[in-house]
Amino acid sequence: MNLYKELMNINDFLNNEIVENSNLEYINFIQEKLNDILKDDISKGNIKKEALEFITTFICTADGMLLYSFTLKNFNLQKEYSNFLNNFIKLVRIEK
């Protein structure tokens, strides 16, 4: 129940217009950078163009895993997110 209350407090904080605008700028920046990185690899023929459809998923997965790591002591965020990215690369990689 304490975690739920803390999440509600975070939600109230995030609904603050200044915080919301700052978060939006950050998300747009991350999306733009990921888009640039993926487009570069697509143009080089390293990955499939469908990779671009996962940009939002990268951000949401990282946020979800971060929250998950707060609740589980044994959750290794770096290891799990690395596994997620490695699996993504396996899906979109173009074998040469």
Side-chain angles (χ1 to χ4, degrees):
M1 193 57 146
N2 286 336
L3 179 61
Y4 178 75
K5 288 179 184 177
E6 289 178 33
L7 287 173
M8 296 286 53
N9 288 334
I10 290 170
N11 187 50
D12 289 343
F13 174 75
L14 293 176
N15 285 327
N16 176 296
E17 187 175 342
I18 294 170
V19 174
E20 186 176 338
N21 289 337
S22 178
N23 285 340
L24 186 57
E25 285 179 28
Y26 170 74
I27 289 169
N28 287 337
F29 173 80
I30 296 296
Q31 285 177 328
E32 183 180 310
K33 294 302 171 192
L34 285 171
N35 191 51
D36 292 345
I37 291 167
L38 294 175
K39 280 186 174 180
D40 183 53
D41 266 350
I42 291 166
S43 71
K44 292 176 182 175
N46 296 330
I47 61 174
K48 301 172 188 172
K49 67 178 189 262
E50 289 79 9
L52 294 171
E53 297 174 25
F54 289 88
I55 291 174
T56 301
T57 304
F58 287 135
I59 296 167
C60 294
T61 300
D63 288 350
M65 285 186 173
L66 179 62
L67 181 60
Y68 200 71
S69 73
F70 293 151
T71 60
L72 294 176
K73 291 180 182 178
N74 294 336
F75 186 78
N76 184 329
L77 179 60
Q78 182 175 357
K79 176 185 167 211
E80 295 300 330
Y81 198 71
S82 292
N83 286 341
F84 168 76
L85 291 177
N86 287 332
N87 288 330
F88 167 76
I89 291 167
K90 289 176 190 175
L91 287 172
V92 298
R93 181 183 315 151
I94 296 174
E95 297 296 329
K96 295 182 179 183

